[in-house]
Amino acid sequence: MTNQQNVVAVDVKSLGLRNLLPPVTKSLSPTELKMLFMKRFEAEKGDNKINGLVDSMRASSPTRIKSSSPSIVHHPSALSMLEQIVGASKGKQIVMFLDYDGTLSPIVEDPDQAFMSTEMRAAVRDVARYFPTAIVTGRCRDKVYSFVKLPGLYYAGSHGMDIKGPSKRCKNKKSNPGILFQPASEFLPMIDEVYKALVERTKSIGGAKVENNKFCVSVHFRRVDEKSWGALAEQVRSVLNQYPKLKLTQGRKVLEIRPTIKWDKGRALEFLLAALGYGNSNDVLPIYIGDDRTDEDAFKVLRDRGQGFGIIVSKVPKETNASYTLQEPSEVKEFLRRLVDWKKYAQGGGAAP
Ligand SMILES: [Mg+2]
């Protein structure tokens, strides 16, 4: 998003990640933090914002492929750039970050049916054997775990507001296998209340689905006639107006209500790198694969750090902070497989294939 909130974002960034992590969090007064976050929220609410969100959602959720505008940049395929990617990892630890919907699983009409294939699960399991791997998703952590079912991974649910480490395996002494970080836990009762209000207010709109993701509520537009998108967004706005501590964001055919704290997939990525002992290290190559606008926060963190690569999953060229593209989940699977093949070969004493 490009508006005056960028000014606020710079202020937030200047606080640094450490200021958002315990125990340093205690040194920041809640009033200071609230003032900062309220600035951002004020810039995001209002009728124009709702209209903008719906327009933006249309643009990022194409039902048909449109010709690309001159401002849209095409990025090379991560498959064709694999040699350069592994070349850049020399002497560094690759850490994998994977979005779920649209990255590991296809986008389907019913979000409860967004299962990943057995082959994809095998590819993710193999990658996690060689590289620390995290699933970073807007979904509730428990829900995404019920899809992925791999205990050796980090899971960052609710856009990184609910982070848990692997239930086994701990290579780095600095990492904590049971780590659980919930920067917005005080919002839990409010989120539950909003979920119930939204279920009530949207039940008259055909196809609308409200999902409680614990630290955020998702209102899915996937099965709603496009003519009713404005009406549905209006219902969401009317509920949200009663909750100034919550904000609205937009993804692929989804509006999401979240706490106003500056915490997103980019912050989750930074937190996880720090948890793995790579907070201020150059010996790491993070690779983040995602398909959504919310993944752009993570792509931007990688760009700003000058570390690693963002890979956007998309069949159409998009404006993005990612470096490379993969067209669809099947290409993600292929990329993960080739990365594992390279690592196996390299460990066996051979050169990268
Ligand atoms: Mg996604």
PDB file of all heavy atoms in Angstrom, residues 45-83:
ATOM      1  N   LYS A  45      -8.496   3.657   8.016  1.00  0.00           N
ATOM      2  CA  LYS A  45      -9.938   3.460   8.070  1.00  0.00           C
ATOM      3  C   LYS A  45     -10.688   4.499   7.246  1.00  0.00           C
ATOM      4  O   LYS A  45     -10.131   5.449   6.768  1.00  0.00           O
ATOM      5  CB  LYS A  45     -10.419   3.430   9.515  1.00  0.00           C
ATOM      6  CG  LYS A  45     -10.270   4.707  10.285  1.00  0.00           C
ATOM      7  CD  LYS A  45     -10.878   4.519  11.679  1.00  0.00           C
ATOM      8  CE  LYS A  45     -10.835   5.829  12.435  1.00  0.00           C
ATOM      9  NZ  LYS A  45     -11.474   5.737  13.735  1.00  0.00           N
ATOM     10  N   GLY A  46     -11.976   4.313   7.099  1.00  0.00           N
ATOM     11  CA  GLY A  46     -12.799   5.260   6.365  1.00  0.00           C
ATOM     12  C   GLY A  46     -13.416   4.618   5.146  1.00  0.00           C
ATOM     13  O   GLY A  46     -12.996   3.577   4.695  1.00  0.00           O
ATOM     14  N   ASP A  47     -14.444   5.288   4.593  1.00  0.00           N
ATOM     15  CA  ASP A  47     -15.176   4.740   3.445  1.00  0.00           C
ATOM     16  C   ASP A  47     -14.277   4.555   2.237  1.00  0.00           C
ATOM     17  O   ASP A  47     -14.357   3.575   1.525  1.00  0.00           O
ATOM     18  CB  ASP A  47     -16.325   5.677   3.070  1.00  0.00           C
ATOM     19  CG  ASP A  47     -17.413   5.626   4.129  1.00  0.00           C
ATOM     20  OD1 ASP A  47     -17.350   4.725   4.987  1.00  0.00           O
ATOM     21  OD2 ASP A  47     -18.298   6.483   4.098  1.00  0.00           O
ATOM     22  N   ASN A  48     -13.433   5.578   1.990  1.00  0.00           N
ATOM     23  CA  ASN A  48     -12.564   5.488   0.823  1.00  0.00           C
ATOM     24  C   ASN A  48     -11.683   4.266   0.892  1.00  0.00           C
ATOM     25  O   ASN A  48     -11.368   3.632  -0.096  1.00  0.00           O
ATOM     26  CB  ASN A  48     -11.696   6.738   0.707  1.00  0.00           C
ATOM     27  CG  ASN A  48     -12.551   7.931   0.327  1.00  0.00           C
ATOM     28  OD1 ASN A  48     -13.644   7.758  -0.209  1.00  0.00           O
ATOM     29  ND2 ASN A  48     -12.057   9.112   0.633  1.00  0.00           N
ATOM     30  N   LYS A  49     -11.270   3.954   2.136  1.00  0.00           N
ATOM     31  CA  LYS A  49     -10.418   2.794   2.336  1.00  0.00           C
ATOM     32  C   LYS A  49     -11.163   1.520   1.934  1.00  0.00           C
ATOM     33  O   LYS A  49     -10.598   0.646   1.285  1.00  0.00           O
ATOM     34  CB  LYS A  49     -10.007   2.735   3.809  1.00  0.00           C
ATOM     35  CG  LYS A  49      -8.970   1.696   4.098  1.00  0.00           C
ATOM     36  CD  LYS A  49      -7.631   2.062   3.498  1.00  0.00           C
ATOM     37  CE  LYS A  49      -6.681   0.888   3.661  1.00  0.00           C
ATOM     38  NZ  LYS A  49      -5.431   1.134   2.990  1.00  0.00           N
ATOM     39  N   ILE A  50     -12.441   1.429   2.322  1.00  0.00           N
ATOM     40  CA  ILE A  50     -13.229   0.243   1.974  1.00  0.00           C
ATOM     41  C   ILE A  50     -13.316   0.103   0.459  1.00  0.00           C
ATOM     42  O   ILE A  50     -13.036  -0.958  -0.100  1.00  0.00           O
ATOM     43  CB  ILE A  50     -14.658   0.345   2.570  1.00  0.00           C
ATOM     44  CG1 ILE A  50     -14.620   0.147   4.085  1.00  0.00           C
ATOM     45  CG2 ILE A  50     -15.592  -0.676   1.926  1.00  0.00           C
ATOM     46  CD1 ILE A  50     -14.295  -1.265   4.520  1.00  0.00           C
ATOM     47  N   ASN A  51     -13.674   1.210  -0.233  1.00  0.00           N
ATOM     48  CA  ASN A  51     -13.769   1.144  -1.686  1.00  0.00           C
ATOM     49  C   ASN A  51     -12.427   0.765  -2.296  1.00  0.00           C
ATOM     50  O   ASN A  51     -12.349  -0.041  -3.214  1.00  0.00           O
ATOM     51  CB  ASN A  51     -14.227   2.499  -2.243  1.00  0.00           C
ATOM     52  CG  ASN A  51     -15.661   2.787  -1.824  1.00  0.00           C
ATOM     53  OD1 ASN A  51     -16.420   1.859  -1.554  1.00  0.00           O
ATOM     54  ND2 ASN A  51     -16.009   4.058  -1.744  1.00  0.00           N
ATOM     55  N   GLY A  52     -11.384   1.356  -1.745  1.00  0.00           N
ATOM     56  CA  GLY A  52     -10.049   1.059  -2.244  1.00  0.00           C
ATOM     57  C   GLY A  52      -9.695  -0.401  -2.039  1.00  0.00           C
ATOM     58  O   GLY A  52      -9.101  -1.024  -2.903  1.00  0.00           O
ATOM     59  N   LEU A  53     -10.091  -0.940  -0.887  1.00  0.00           N
ATOM     60  CA  LEU A  53      -9.793  -2.344  -0.597  1.00  0.00           C
ATOM     61  C   LEU A  53     -10.494  -3.265  -1.581  1.00  0.00           C
ATOM     62  O   LEU A  53      -9.920  -4.228  -2.073  1.00  0.00           O
ATOM     63  CB  LEU A  53     -10.229  -2.695   0.834  1.00  0.00           C
ATOM     64  CG  LEU A  53      -9.290  -2.238   1.946  1.00  0.00           C
ATOM     65  CD1 LEU A  53      -9.952  -2.401   3.294  1.00  0.00           C
ATOM     66  CD2 LEU A  53      -8.000  -3.037   1.914  1.00  0.00           C
ATOM     67  N   VAL A  54     -11.781  -2.953  -1.867  1.00  0.00           N
ATOM     68  CA  VAL A  54     -12.526  -3.809  -2.801  1.00  0.00           C
ATOM     69  C   VAL A  54     -11.904  -3.733  -4.190  1.00  0.00           C
ATOM     70  O   VAL A  54     -11.702  -4.756  -4.855  1.00  0.00           O
ATOM     71  CB  VAL A  54     -14.021  -3.420  -2.835  1.00  0.00           C
ATOM     72  CG1 VAL A  54     -14.734  -4.159  -3.960  1.00  0.00           C
ATOM     73  CG2 VAL A  54     -14.677  -3.729  -1.501  1.00  0.00           C
ATOM     74  N   ASP A  55     -11.568  -2.496  -4.631  1.00  0.00           N
ATOM     75  CA  ASP A  55     -10.932  -2.344  -5.950  1.00  0.00           C
ATOM     76  C   ASP A  55      -9.607  -3.091  -5.996  1.00  0.00           C
ATOM     77  O   ASP A  55      -9.293  -3.778  -6.965  1.00  0.00           O
ATOM     78  CB  ASP A  55     -10.667  -0.856  -6.240  1.00  0.00           C
ATOM     79  CG  ASP A  55     -11.970  -0.122  -6.511  1.00  0.00           C
ATOM     80  OD1 ASP A  55     -12.989  -0.806  -6.760  1.00  0.00           O
ATOM     81  OD2 ASP A  55     -11.965   1.121  -6.446  1.00  0.00           O
ATOM     82  N   SER A  56      -8.865  -2.955  -4.895  1.00  0.00           N
ATOM     83  CA  SER A  56      -7.560  -3.585  -4.832  1.00  0.00           C
ATOM     84  C   SER A  56      -7.692  -5.108  -4.824  1.00  0.00           C
ATOM     85  O   SER A  56      -6.904  -5.827  -5.430  1.00  0.00           O
ATOM     86  CB  SER A  56      -6.855  -3.098  -3.575  1.00  0.00           C
ATOM     87  OG  SER A  56      -5.592  -3.658  -3.483  1.00  0.00           O
ATOM     88  N   MET A  57      -8.743  -5.593  -4.137  1.00  0.00           N
ATOM     89  CA  MET A  57      -8.966  -7.036  -4.082  1.00  0.00           C
ATOM     90  C   MET A  57      -9.309  -7.566  -5.479  1.00  0.00           C
ATOM     91  O   MET A  57      -8.852  -8.623  -5.880  1.00  0.00           O
ATOM     92  CB  MET A  57     -10.090  -7.356  -3.095  1.00  0.00           C
ATOM     93  CG  MET A  57     -10.303  -8.841  -2.896  1.00  0.00           C
ATOM     94  SD  MET A  57     -11.189  -9.187  -1.380  1.00  0.00           S
ATOM     95  CE  MET A  57     -12.628  -8.195  -1.577  1.00  0.00           C
ATOM     96  N   ARG A  58     -10.112  -6.774  -6.228  1.00  0.00           N
ATOM     97  CA  ARG A  58     -10.421  -7.177  -7.608  1.00  0.00           C
ATOM     98  C   ARG A  58      -9.140  -7.304  -8.420  1.00  0.00           C
ATOM     99  O   ARG A  58      -8.941  -8.261  -9.155  1.00  0.00           O
ATOM    100  CB  ARG A  58     -11.338  -6.133  -8.261  1.00  0.00           C
ATOM    101  CG  ARG A  58     -12.765  -6.242  -7.832  1.00  0.00           C
ATOM    102  CD  ARG A  58     -13.712  -5.572  -8.825  1.00  0.00           C
ATOM    103  NE  ARG A  58     -15.072  -5.772  -8.380  1.00  0.00           N
ATOM    104  CZ  ARG A  58     -15.761  -4.868  -7.683  1.00  0.00           C
ATOM    105  NH1 ARG A  58     -15.243  -3.714  -7.390  1.00  0.00           N
ATOM    106  NH2 ARG A  58     -17.004  -5.141  -7.295  1.00  0.00           N
ATOM    107  N   ALA A  59      -8.274  -6.322  -8.253  1.00  0.00           N
ATOM    108  CA  ALA A  59      -7.035  -6.304  -9.039  1.00  0.00           C
ATOM    109  C   ALA A  59      -6.119  -7.459  -8.686  1.00  0.00           C
ATOM    110  O   ALA A  59      -5.444  -8.017  -9.533  1.00  0.00           O
ATOM    111  CB  ALA A  59      -6.308  -4.977  -8.822  1.00  0.00           C
ATOM    112  N   SER A  60      -6.119  -7.842  -7.398  1.00  0.00           N
ATOM    113  CA  SER A  60      -5.191  -8.903  -6.981  1.00  0.00           C
ATOM    114  C   SER A  60      -5.826 -10.276  -6.999  1.00  0.00           C
ATOM    115  O   SER A  60      -5.201 -11.260  -6.663  1.00  0.00           O
ATOM    116  CB  SER A  60      -4.634  -8.614  -5.582  1.00  0.00           C
ATOM    117  OG  SER A  60      -5.656  -8.718  -4.622  1.00  0.00           O
ATOM    118  N   SER A  61      -7.117 -10.342  -7.375  1.00  0.00           N
ATOM    119  CA  SER A  61      -7.809 -11.626  -7.422  1.00  0.00           C
ATOM    120  C   SER A  61      -8.411 -11.813  -8.811  1.00  0.00           C
ATOM    121  O   SER A  61      -9.618 -11.876  -8.965  1.00  0.00           O
ATOM    122  CB  SER A  61      -8.931 -11.673  -6.388  1.00  0.00           C
ATOM    123  OG  SER A  61      -8.501 -11.189  -5.143  1.00  0.00           O
ATOM    124  N   PRO A  62      -7.576 -11.797  -9.843  1.00  0.00           N
ATOM    125  CA  PRO A  62      -8.115 -11.783 -11.201  1.00  0.00           C
ATOM    126  C   PRO A  62      -8.918 -13.039 -11.518  1.00  0.00           C
ATOM    127  O   PRO A  62      -8.475 -14.146 -11.248  1.00  0.00           O
ATOM    128  CB  PRO A  62      -6.866 -11.697 -12.088  1.00  0.00           C
ATOM    129  CG  PRO A  62      -5.759 -12.231 -11.245  1.00  0.00           C
ATOM    130  CD  PRO A  62      -6.119 -11.924  -9.822  1.00  0.00           C
ATOM    131  N   THR A  63     -10.151 -12.822 -12.041  1.00  0.00           N
ATOM    132  CA  THR A  63     -10.945 -13.960 -12.472  1.00  0.00           C
ATOM    133  C   THR A  63     -10.611 -14.274 -13.926  1.00  0.00           C
ATOM    134  O   THR A  63     -10.994 -15.269 -14.471  1.00  0.00           O
ATOM    135  CB  THR A  63     -12.442 -13.651 -12.352  1.00  0.00           C
ATOM    136  OG1 THR A  63     -12.700 -12.392 -12.987  1.00  0.00           O
ATOM    137  CG2 THR A  63     -12.842 -13.583 -10.901  1.00  0.00           C
ATOM    138  N   ARG A  64      -9.915 -13.353 -14.560  1.00  0.00           N
ATOM    139  CA  ARG A  64      -9.442 -13.576 -15.924  1.00  0.00           C
ATOM    140  C   ARG A  64      -8.082 -12.893 -16.034  1.00  0.00           C
ATOM    141  O   ARG A  64      -7.814 -11.917 -15.334  1.00  0.00           O
ATOM    142  CB  ARG A  64     -10.420 -13.015 -16.948  1.00  0.00           C
ATOM    143  CG  ARG A  64     -10.689 -11.541 -16.713  1.00  0.00           C
ATOM    144  CD  ARG A  64     -12.005 -11.121 -17.331  1.00  0.00           C
ATOM    145  NE  ARG A  64     -12.400  -9.822 -16.831  1.00  0.00           N
ATOM    146  CZ  ARG A  64     -13.108  -9.631 -15.716  1.00  0.00           C
ATOM    147  NH1 ARG A  64     -13.518 -10.637 -14.994  1.00  0.00           N
ATOM    148  NH2 ARG A  64     -13.436  -8.410 -15.331  1.00  0.00           N
ATOM    149  N   ILE A  65      -7.263 -13.383 -16.936  1.00  0.00           N
ATOM    150  CA  ILE A  65      -5.934 -12.791 -17.072  1.00  0.00           C
ATOM    151  C   ILE A  65      -6.029 -11.539 -17.930  1.00  0.00           C
ATOM    152  O   ILE A  65      -6.540 -11.563 -19.038  1.00  0.00           O
ATOM    153  CB  ILE A  65      -4.951 -13.817 -17.682  1.00  0.00           C
ATOM    154  CG1 ILE A  65      -4.779 -14.973 -16.704  1.00  0.00           C
ATOM    155  CG2 ILE A  65      -3.622 -13.166 -18.014  1.00  0.00           C
ATOM    156  CD1 ILE A  65      -3.901 -16.087 -17.208  1.00  0.00           C
ATOM    157  N   LYS A  66      -5.588 -10.437 -17.385  1.00  0.00           N
ATOM    158  CA  LYS A  66      -5.626  -9.172 -18.118  1.00  0.00           C
ATOM    159  C   LYS A  66      -4.234  -8.876 -18.662  1.00  0.00           C
ATOM    160  O   LYS A  66      -3.238  -9.377 -18.154  1.00  0.00           O
ATOM    161  CB  LYS A  66      -6.050  -8.045 -17.173  1.00  0.00           C
ATOM    162  CG  LYS A  66      -7.455  -8.228 -16.653  1.00  0.00           C
ATOM    163  CD  LYS A  66      -7.742  -7.234 -15.540  1.00  0.00           C
ATOM    164  CE  LYS A  66      -9.108  -7.497 -14.943  1.00  0.00           C
ATOM    165  NZ  LYS A  66      -9.320  -6.793 -13.689  1.00  0.00           N
ATOM    166  N   SER A  67      -4.208  -8.018 -19.685  1.00  0.00           N
ATOM    167  CA  SER A  67      -2.891  -7.633 -20.198  1.00  0.00           C
ATOM    168  C   SER A  67      -2.179  -6.804 -19.143  1.00  0.00           C
ATOM    169  O   SER A  67      -2.793  -6.055 -18.401  1.00  0.00           O
ATOM    170  CB  SER A  67      -3.044  -6.835 -21.487  1.00  0.00           C
ATOM    171  OG  SER A  67      -3.774  -5.669 -21.223  1.00  0.00           O
ATOM    172  N   SER A  68      -0.884  -6.933 -19.078  1.00  0.00           N
ATOM    173  CA  SER A  68      -0.154  -6.271 -18.011  1.00  0.00           C
ATOM    174  C   SER A  68      -0.020  -4.775 -18.285  1.00  0.00           C
ATOM    175  O   SER A  68       0.121  -4.347 -19.407  1.00  0.00           O
ATOM    176  CB  SER A  68       1.225  -6.911 -17.864  1.00  0.00           C
ATOM    177  OG  SER A  68       1.874  -6.885 -19.102  1.00  0.00           O
ATOM    178  N   SER A  69      -0.051  -3.985 -17.215  1.00  0.00           N
ATOM    179  CA  SER A  69       0.117  -2.544 -17.346  1.00  0.00           C
ATOM    180  C   SER A  69       1.602  -2.249 -17.391  1.00  0.00           C
ATOM    181  O   SER A  69       2.425  -3.053 -16.962  1.00  0.00           O
ATOM    182  CB  SER A  69      -0.539  -1.837 -16.177  1.00  0.00           C
ATOM    183  OG  SER A  69       0.317  -1.881 -15.071  1.00  0.00           O
ATOM    184  N   PRO A  70       1.988  -1.074 -17.916  1.00  0.00           N
ATOM    185  CA  PRO A  70       3.417  -0.761 -18.048  1.00  0.00           C
ATOM    186  C   PRO A  70       4.147  -0.749 -16.711  1.00  0.00           C
ATOM    187  O   PRO A  70       5.349  -0.943 -16.657  1.00  0.00           O
ATOM    188  CB  PRO A  70       3.404   0.647 -18.654  1.00  0.00           C
ATOM    189  CG  PRO A  70       2.039   0.863 -19.196  1.00  0.00           C
ATOM    190  CD  PRO A  70       1.117  -0.008 -18.420  1.00  0.00           C
ATOM    191  N   SER A  71       3.397  -0.513 -15.593  1.00  0.00           N
ATOM    192  CA  SER A  71       4.069  -0.405 -14.300  1.00  0.00           C
ATOM    193  C   SER A  71       4.377  -1.763 -13.687  1.00  0.00           C
ATOM    194  O   SER A  71       5.049  -1.855 -12.680  1.00  0.00           O
ATOM    195  CB  SER A  71       3.197   0.400 -13.329  1.00  0.00           C
ATOM    196  OG  SER A  71       2.002  -0.310 -13.088  1.00  0.00           O
ATOM    197  N   ILE A  72       3.838  -2.811 -14.293  1.00  0.00           N
ATOM    198  CA  ILE A  72       4.023  -4.139 -13.717  1.00  0.00           C
ATOM    199  C   ILE A  72       5.301  -4.783 -14.266  1.00  0.00           C
ATOM    200  O   ILE A  72       5.547  -4.816 -15.455  1.00  0.00           O
ATOM    201  CB  ILE A  72       2.798  -5.027 -14.008  1.00  0.00           C
ATOM    202  CG1 ILE A  72       1.601  -4.460 -13.243  1.00  0.00           C
ATOM    203  CG2 ILE A  72       3.065  -6.460 -13.568  1.00  0.00           C
ATOM    204  CD1 ILE A  72       0.312  -5.168 -13.540  1.00  0.00           C
ATOM    205  N   VAL A  73       6.097  -5.258 -13.350  1.00  0.00           N
ATOM    206  CA  VAL A  73       7.398  -5.801 -13.733  1.00  0.00           C
ATOM    207  C   VAL A  73       7.333  -7.326 -13.706  1.00  0.00           C
ATOM    208  O   VAL A  73       6.746  -7.905 -12.799  1.00  0.00           O
ATOM    209  CB  VAL A  73       8.474  -5.329 -12.731  1.00  0.00           C
ATOM    210  CG1 VAL A  73       9.840  -5.861 -13.114  1.00  0.00           C
ATOM    211  CG2 VAL A  73       8.479  -3.807 -12.668  1.00  0.00           C
ATOM    212  N   HIS A  74       7.924  -7.958 -14.686  1.00  0.00           N
ATOM    213  CA  HIS A  74       7.981  -9.412 -14.675  1.00  0.00           C
ATOM    214  C   HIS A  74       9.318  -9.850 -14.087  1.00  0.00           C
ATOM    215  O   HIS A  74      10.352  -9.301 -14.417  1.00  0.00           O
ATOM    216  CB  HIS A  74       7.834  -9.956 -16.088  1.00  0.00           C
ATOM    217  CG  HIS A  74       7.818 -11.443 -16.121  1.00  0.00           C
ATOM    218  ND1 HIS A  74       6.840 -12.182 -15.521  1.00  0.00           N
ATOM    219  CD2 HIS A  74       8.690 -12.322 -16.655  1.00  0.00           C
ATOM    220  CE1 HIS A  74       7.107 -13.467 -15.685  1.00  0.00           C
ATOM    221  NE2 HIS A  74       8.222 -13.581 -16.362  1.00  0.00           N
ATOM    222  N   HIS A  75       9.255 -10.822 -13.200  1.00  0.00           N
ATOM    223  CA  HIS A  75      10.473 -11.301 -12.559  1.00  0.00           C
ATOM    224  C   HIS A  75      10.781 -12.705 -13.064  1.00  0.00           C
ATOM    225  O   HIS A  75       9.880 -13.471 -13.349  1.00  0.00           O
ATOM    226  CB  HIS A  75      10.289 -11.305 -11.045  1.00  0.00           C
ATOM    227  CG  HIS A  75      10.063  -9.926 -10.492  1.00  0.00           C
ATOM    228  ND1 HIS A  75      11.091  -9.076 -10.177  1.00  0.00           N
ATOM    229  CD2 HIS A  75       8.927  -9.250 -10.236  1.00  0.00           C
ATOM    230  CE1 HIS A  75      10.597  -7.939  -9.744  1.00  0.00           C
ATOM    231  NE2 HIS A  75       9.289  -8.005  -9.769  1.00  0.00           N
ATOM    232  N   PRO A  76      12.074 -13.064 -13.145  1.00  0.00           N
ATOM    233  CA  PRO A  76      12.423 -14.368 -13.714  1.00  0.00           C
ATOM    234  C   PRO A  76      11.950 -15.535 -12.852  1.00  0.00           C
ATOM    235  O   PRO A  76      11.715 -15.381 -11.651  1.00  0.00           O
ATOM    236  CB  PRO A  76      13.950 -14.326 -13.791  1.00  0.00           C
ATOM    237  CG  PRO A  76      14.381 -13.227 -12.901  1.00  0.00           C
ATOM    238  CD  PRO A  76      13.253 -12.261 -12.788  1.00  0.00           C
ATOM    239  N   SER A  77      11.813 -16.680 -13.482  1.00  0.00           N
ATOM    240  CA  SER A  77      11.377 -17.880 -12.782  1.00  0.00           C
ATOM    241  C   SER A  77      12.446 -18.337 -11.789  1.00  0.00           C
ATOM    242  O   SER A  77      13.632 -18.414 -12.120  1.00  0.00           O
ATOM    243  CB  SER A  77      11.119 -18.999 -13.788  1.00  0.00           C
ATOM    244  OG  SER A  77      11.065 -20.240 -13.100  1.00  0.00           O
ATOM    245  N   ALA A  78      12.004 -18.670 -10.576  1.00  0.00           N
ATOM    246  CA  ALA A  78      12.936 -19.179  -9.562  1.00  0.00           C
ATOM    247  C   ALA A  78      13.522 -20.510 -10.000  1.00  0.00           C
ATOM    248  O   ALA A  78      14.636 -20.873  -9.590  1.00  0.00           O
ATOM    249  CB  ALA A  78      12.226 -19.315  -8.221  1.00  0.00           C
ATOM    250  N   LEU A  79      12.798 -21.259 -10.849  1.00  0.00           N
ATOM    251  CA  LEU A  79      13.325 -22.544 -11.330  1.00  0.00           C
ATOM    252  C   LEU A  79      14.525 -22.314 -12.238  1.00  0.00           C
ATOM    253  O   LEU A  79      15.544 -23.001 -12.132  1.00  0.00           O
ATOM    254  CB  LEU A  79      12.232 -23.326 -12.071  1.00  0.00           C
ATOM    255  CG  LEU A  79      11.143 -23.931 -11.181  1.00  0.00           C
ATOM    256  CD1 LEU A  79      10.000 -24.486 -12.022  1.00  0.00           C
ATOM    257  CD2 LEU A  79      11.726 -25.033 -10.288  1.00  0.00           C
ATOM    258  N   SER A  80      14.415 -21.312 -13.116  1.00  0.00           N
ATOM    259  CA  SER A  80      15.536 -21.052 -14.024  1.00  0.00           C
ATOM    260  C   SER A  80      16.695 -20.361 -13.301  1.00  0.00           C
ATOM    261  O   SER A  80      17.816 -20.342 -13.808  1.00  0.00           O
ATOM    262  CB  SER A  80      15.067 -20.204 -15.210  1.00  0.00           C
ATOM    263  OG  SER A  80      14.688 -18.922 -14.760  1.00  0.00           O
ATOM    264  N   MET A  81      16.407 -19.789 -12.115  1.00  0.00           N
ATOM    265  CA  MET A  81      17.458 -19.077 -11.361  1.00  0.00           C
ATOM    266  C   MET A  81      18.013 -19.912 -10.206  1.00  0.00           C
ATOM    267  O   MET A  81      18.734 -19.390  -9.352  1.00  0.00           O
ATOM    268  CB  MET A  81      16.907 -17.757 -10.810  1.00  0.00           C
ATOM    269  CG  MET A  81      16.433 -16.775 -11.858  1.00  0.00           C
ATOM    270  SD  MET A  81      17.728 -16.263 -13.015  1.00  0.00           S
ATOM    271  CE  MET A  81      18.675 -15.164 -11.975  1.00  0.00           C
ATOM    272  N   LEU A  82      17.684 -21.197 -10.176  1.00  0.00           N
ATOM    273  CA  LEU A  82      18.081 -22.029  -9.033  1.00  0.00           C
ATOM    274  C   LEU A  82      19.601 -22.007  -8.806  1.00  0.00           C
ATOM    275  O   LEU A  82      20.073 -21.941  -7.673  1.00  0.00           O
ATOM    276  CB  LEU A  82      17.585 -23.467  -9.220  1.00  0.00           C
ATOM    277  CG  LEU A  82      17.752 -24.342  -7.985  1.00  0.00           C
ATOM    278  CD1 LEU A  82      16.763 -23.944  -6.899  1.00  0.00           C
ATOM    279  CD2 LEU A  82      17.570 -25.818  -8.323  1.00  0.00           C
ATOM    280  N   GLU A  83      20.333 -22.052  -9.931  1.00  0.00           N
ATOM    281  CA  GLU A  83      21.798 -22.066  -9.813  1.00  0.00           C
ATOM    282  C   GLU A  83      22.297 -20.809  -9.097  1.00  0.00           C
ATOM    283  O   GLU A  83      23.159 -20.887  -8.205  1.00  0.00           O
ATOM    284  CB  GLU A  83      22.406 -22.127 -11.217  1.00  0.00           C
ATOM    285  CG  GLU A  83      23.792 -22.715 -11.242  1.00  0.00           C
ATOM    286  CD  GLU A  83      24.266 -22.906 -12.672  1.00  0.00           C
ATOM    287  OE1 GLU A  83      23.497 -23.432 -13.494  1.00  0.00           O
ATOM    288  OE2 GLU A  83      25.401 -22.492 -12.948  1.00  0.00           O
TER     289      GLU A  83
END
